[in-house]
Amino acid sequence: MTGLKGPAEVIWDMTYACPLRCVHCYSESGRRPARQVKREQMQAIAGAIISLSPDAVALAGGEPLVNKHVFDVAKQLKQAGIVVVLYTSAWSFQPWMVARVQESFSRVAVSVDAATAGLHDRIRGRAGSYQRAMDALSLLDAAAADSVAAGRPPLPFGIDSVVMRCNFDEKETLCTTMAARFPRLSLISLNAAAPAGLASTKGFADHELVTDEQAAALAGRKLRKQLAALVQPSLRIETTDNRALQMSPGLTANGIVTNAMQIEPDGEVRAMPMYEGSVGNVLREPAWTLWERSVQRWSDTFLVQTLSQVTTMQDWAEACRTIDYHYGSDEVRARIDHRPVFMGLPRSVGTRPAMARPAATAAP
């Protein structure tokens, strides 16, 4: 492993339990076993992450706040000098958590996909999810004001928004609404839905994956400048087409690559954050060994050949289905086989998205 550089970031999905049913869910959380482990095992996973010396760790899921040990593990990582970011839908966020979040995390990102409740709740699959996010952001905004008044640096908090066709035209309204409502907000990040998990299905790709033109707009500087001009200078606006997650040869050759390790709740390590396929478990093998295997996967012949054919967003979704089925375990392939076919966003919260028979097997 001489000369091998470790991951710049580790993404740890702490649990697959989730109170929401997002139509694009990358991890299919809430629809599969939680795979959450006990505190001692979580501490061991955190120790394995620390051994890699990443710059940052993203604690995600599922909903990490349903894991009662999330604050202790986050604090363990933060005390090791790592930037620790909480990604949350905020459904489970409670007022008492503000102090624990400030103590345990370096930054918080709350999921908000629209400027109003109607569309956000339809995307997130549960009535009230927008209001819960607004309540959490209000608590974080007030805490930031208190910190400034006391002469302490505030905890940075922002909004993470998944962009798809149904909410693409809400970008400006989302930015101006959130900027006015939460004056101490530090970041709004607008990210194209990546074709992973449920968002990789042909139905989702046909109906909601952003078009190539929309992806190009999200990748360009022009849109970021336009959105930044609408809000206060202290609020940073980021937009991305998420192509760095693709890992195709042409992109990686140009430095467009995600140098990250993704760990599943029970310690299983994915070879690449976008795609199914484990290279081992950090509770049974050294983290550096698994990182080396992950990097080796990036140049695997099947992977390179499959991704070399990707030129469009639709191509990417098809490649993801092929890669997931090829590298996934029997359990993963069974889950893929039983995914319902997405045929459009639900008309209102409480109604199911238009569905058909289970998706056809995506055998390579």
Side-chain angles (χ1 to χ4, degrees):
M1 289 182 290
T2 303
L4 178 64
K5 185 178 180 180
E9 180 183 16
V10 173
I11 305 161
W12 183 7
D13 291 334
M14 304 189 74
T15 178
Y16 288 143
C18 187
L20 305 186
R21 295 295 181 271
C22 304
V23 297
H24 59 283
C25 187
Y26 302 149
S27 63
E28 298 176 76
S29 293
R31 303 166 174 91
R32 59 190 293 192
R35 286 172 58 186
Q36 189 171 309
V37 295
K38 296 179 179 179
R39 179 178 180 176
E40 294 75 17
Q41 292 169 302
M42 290 181 64
Q43 291 172 330
I45 293 172
I49 293 172
I50 291 169
S51 74
L52 293 168
S53 301
D55 297 327
V57 174
L59 297 185
E63 174 50 65
L65 290 180
V66 305
N67 189 319
K68 64 182 180 180
H69 303 304
V70 62
F71 297 114
D72 293 335
V73 172
K75 191 173 180 181
Q76 178 183 351
L77 293 164
K78 187 178 179 182
Q79 288 176 339
I82 299 170
V83 172
V84 187
V85 185
L86 171 66
Y87 283 85
T88 176
S89 70
W91 181 273
S92 304
F93 199 96
Q94 300 294 326
W96 66 265
M97 292 182 177
V98 173
R100 295 299 306 276
V101 166
Q102 290 176 311
E103 176 188 31
S104 307
F105 290 93
S106 310
R107 191 166 70 246
V108 178
V110 178
S111 298
V112 181
D113 294 334
T116 57
L119 181 55
H120 173 93
D121 288 0
R122 288 165 63 205
I123 292 170
R124 293 286 163 174
R126 189 164 183 182
S129 59
Y130 178 85
Q131 189 56 53
R132 297 277 186 117
M134 296 301 103
D135 291 345
L137 288 166
S138 294
L139 289 169
L140 292 168
D141 195 68
D146 290 343
S147 293
V148 171
R152 300 188 304 270
L155 176 72
F157 70 100
I159 285 172
D160 187 75
S161 186
V162 179
V163 182
M164 50 193 76
R165 291 183 209 177
C166 66
N167 65 356
F168 183 83
D169 291 333
E170 287 219 349
K171 304 181 299 302
E172 293 81 1
T173 306
L174 175 68
C175 289
T176 55
T177 300
M178 297 300 120
R181 189 163 182 173
F182 309 109
R184 295 161 194 87
L185 193 68
S186 60
L187 171 68
I188 296 178
S189 182
L190 300 158
N191 314 291
L198 295 182
S200 72
T201 64
K202 188 176 187 306
F204 188 91
D206 289 343
H207 291 276
E208 286 296 344
L209 202 63
V210 293
T211 66
D212 296 324
E213 294 75 18
Q214 290 171 336
L218 289 166
R221 295 180 180 179
K222 181 179 178 180
L223 177 60
R224 287 193 290 276
K225 289 182 178 180
Q226 290 174 340
L227 296 175
L230 300 175
V231 302
Q232 57 267 33
S234 60
L235 176 54
R236 190 168 85 255
I237 303 294
E238 293 182 353
T239 65
T240 177
D241 60 0
N242 258 333
R243 285 198 309 159
L245 291 167
Q246 192 179 111
M247 306 293 283
S248 64
L251 295 176
T252 54
N254 290 313
I256 304 175
V257 60
T258 296
N259 184 30
M261 172 186 280
Q262 182 168 7
I263 302 179
E264 299 186 343
D266 56 3
E268 285 291 308
V269 174
R270 290 191 178 195
M272 297 176 288
M274 260 288 300
Y275 307 101
E276 299 279 359
S278 170
V279 293
N281 193 299
V282 293
L283 293 176
R284 294 190 290 271
E285 296 182 87
W288 272 101
T289 298
L290 302 184
W291 177 241
E292 184 177 39
R293 282 185 205 152
S294 298
V295 173
Q296 290 171 348
R297 173 72 61 81
W298 302 355
S299 57
D300 182 80
T301 300
F302 180 86
L303 182 78
V304 170
Q305 290 178 345
T306 303
L307 290 175
S308 293
Q309 303 173 44
V310 173
T311 59
T312 67
M313 294 295 287
Q314 292 284 336
D315 291 344
W316 187 11
E318 183 177 352
C320 187
R321 295 192 295 269
T322 301
I323 290 167
D324 285 353
Y325 213 81
H326 179 81
Y327 292 108
S329 64
D330 290 342
E331 179 184 352
V332 167
R333 286 191 284 269
R335 173 159 45 83
I336 292 172
D337 287 342
H338 288 87
R339 286 172 179 163
V341 176
F342 180 88
M343 297 180 66
L345 209 63
R347 293 181 298 276
S348 62
V349 182
T351 62
R352 291 180 177 273
M355 297 288 187
R357 59 178 174 73
T361 296

